[in-house]
């Protein structure tokens, strides 16, 4: 049961390239209020935001681009090849994101809220949700999507995929699993069937 009275909160997760955002938008279309925790983490580390200075102090000025913003590609190459660096970054960002999610849910007018978070299982967010949905695809589909849609090199894509917990772990903790490697219509069918049951 969620900690937000009067709200039904779906925690939506899955590894990179599985299509979580597609499923979140489908739920929004069905009337849920959607929160993108990844977007909140970007905002938390923007210049002038609470996470900016701690991240720069932790990793050095070399991660700051010419525009004064943190260069996410530079930071990503570091943290996705160094598990300790990733843990350090997450220890700065996760509390900020969790605080923002709490405020947004409390002020949402809709009764059903979906929180899309790649690190849902690994953070306090999971315990505060009424249900956990996991979006899953085969690893070869993840790789193809990252290379084709996000223009990552195959090496970078493999590093991102291998830096995350296995999909099996997430699926074992799910109330619902959405398999998103078929057509858009097939994913929509799974979402609508699950959402109304």
């Amino acid at each position: 049961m969620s900690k937000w009275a009067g709200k039904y909160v779906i925690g939506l997760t899955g590894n990179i390239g599985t299509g979580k955002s597609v499923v979140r938008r489908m739920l929004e279309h069905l009337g849920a209020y959607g929160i993108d925790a990844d977007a909140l983490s970007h905002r938390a580390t923007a210049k002038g935001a609470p996470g900016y200075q701690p991240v720069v102090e932790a990793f050095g000025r070399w991660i700051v681009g010419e525009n004064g913003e943190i260069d996410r590609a530079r930071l990503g190459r570091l943290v996705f090849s160094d598990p300790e660096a990733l843990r350090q970054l997450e220890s700065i960002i996760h509390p900020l994101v969790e605080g923002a999610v709490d405020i947004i849910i409390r002020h949402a007018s809709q009764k059903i809220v979906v929180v899309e978070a790649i690190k849902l299982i690994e953070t306090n967010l999971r315990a505060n949700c009424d249900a956990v949905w996991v979006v899953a695809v085969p690893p070869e589909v993840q790789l193809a999507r990252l290379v084709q849609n996000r223009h990552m090199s195959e090496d970078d894509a493999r590093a991102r995929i291998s830096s995350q917990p296995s999909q099996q772990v997430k699926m074992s903790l799910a109330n619902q699993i959405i398999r998103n490697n078929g057509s858009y219509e097939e994913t929509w069918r799974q979402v609508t069937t699950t959402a109304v049951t």
Side-chain angles (χ1 to χ4, degrees):
M1 181 177 208
S2 89
K3 71 176 186 176
W4 297 283
K7 300 283 185 357
Y8 184 86
V9 180
I10 298 169
L12 177 66
T13 193
N15 283 2
I16 191 168
T18 56
K20 297 178 297 300
S21 296
V22 169
V23 173
R24 173 176 50 83
R25 286 191 290 271
M26 289 178 174
L27 288 165
E28 288 171 349
H29 184 76
L30 292 169
Y33 186 89
I35 299 171
D36 181 349
D38 192 40
L40 291 176
S41 74
H42 292 190
R43 287 185 202 153
T45 56
K47 191 174 182 181
Y52 179 87
Q53 199 57 40
V55 170
V56 172
E57 287 173 5
F59 299 103
R61 296 259 351 141
W62 72 274
I63 64 167
V64 178
E66 290 180 12
N67 62 358
E69 294 288 350
I70 291 171
D71 184 322
R72 296 185 57 74
R74 284 183 203 165
L75 183 58
R77 280 192 294 275
L78 169 67
V79 300
F80 292 114
S81 63
D82 181 343
E84 184 51 44
L86 182 59
R87 278 191 289 276
Q88 188 176 8
L89 178 65
E90 290 173 347
S91 73
I92 296 167
I93 293 176
H94 286 171
L96 298 172
V97 171
E98 289 172 20
V101 166
D102 180 56
I103 291 167
I104 293 168
I105 292 175
R106 289 182 193 284
H107 289 89
S109 56
Q110 289 96 320
K111 297 297 184 196
I112 298 176
V113 179
V114 56
V115 181
E116 176 192 342
I118 197 163
K119 292 286 189 171
L120 182 90
I121 301 294
E122 300 86 345
T123 65
N124 296 329
L125 285 173
R126 174 185 165 219
N128 293 326
C129 293
D130 294 288
V132 172
W133 288 26
V134 172
V135 185
V137 300
E140 62 272 16
V141 174
Q142 282 181 279
L143 183 63
R145 286 178 180 172
L146 295 180
V147 171
Q148 292 164 13
N149 301 343
R150 302 199 194 180
H151 311 292
M152 288 185 186
S153 70
E154 193 167 315
D155 286 346
D156 282 349
R158 288 185 189 282
R160 291 287 182 103
I161 292 168
S162 66
S163 74
Q164 298 178 343
S166 81
Q167 292 189 81
Q168 297 302 323
V169 169
K170 291 184 177 181
M171 288 190 289
S172 72
L173 299 168
N175 300 102
Q176 299 292 339
I177 298 169
I178 305 294
R179 299 194 182 274
N180 189 31
N181 54 306
S183 67
Y184 185 88
E185 290 74 18
E186 172 58 20
T187 302
W188 175 251
R189 185 194 65 74
Q190 292 176 71
V191 170
T192 54
T193 300
T194 303
V196 298
T197 55

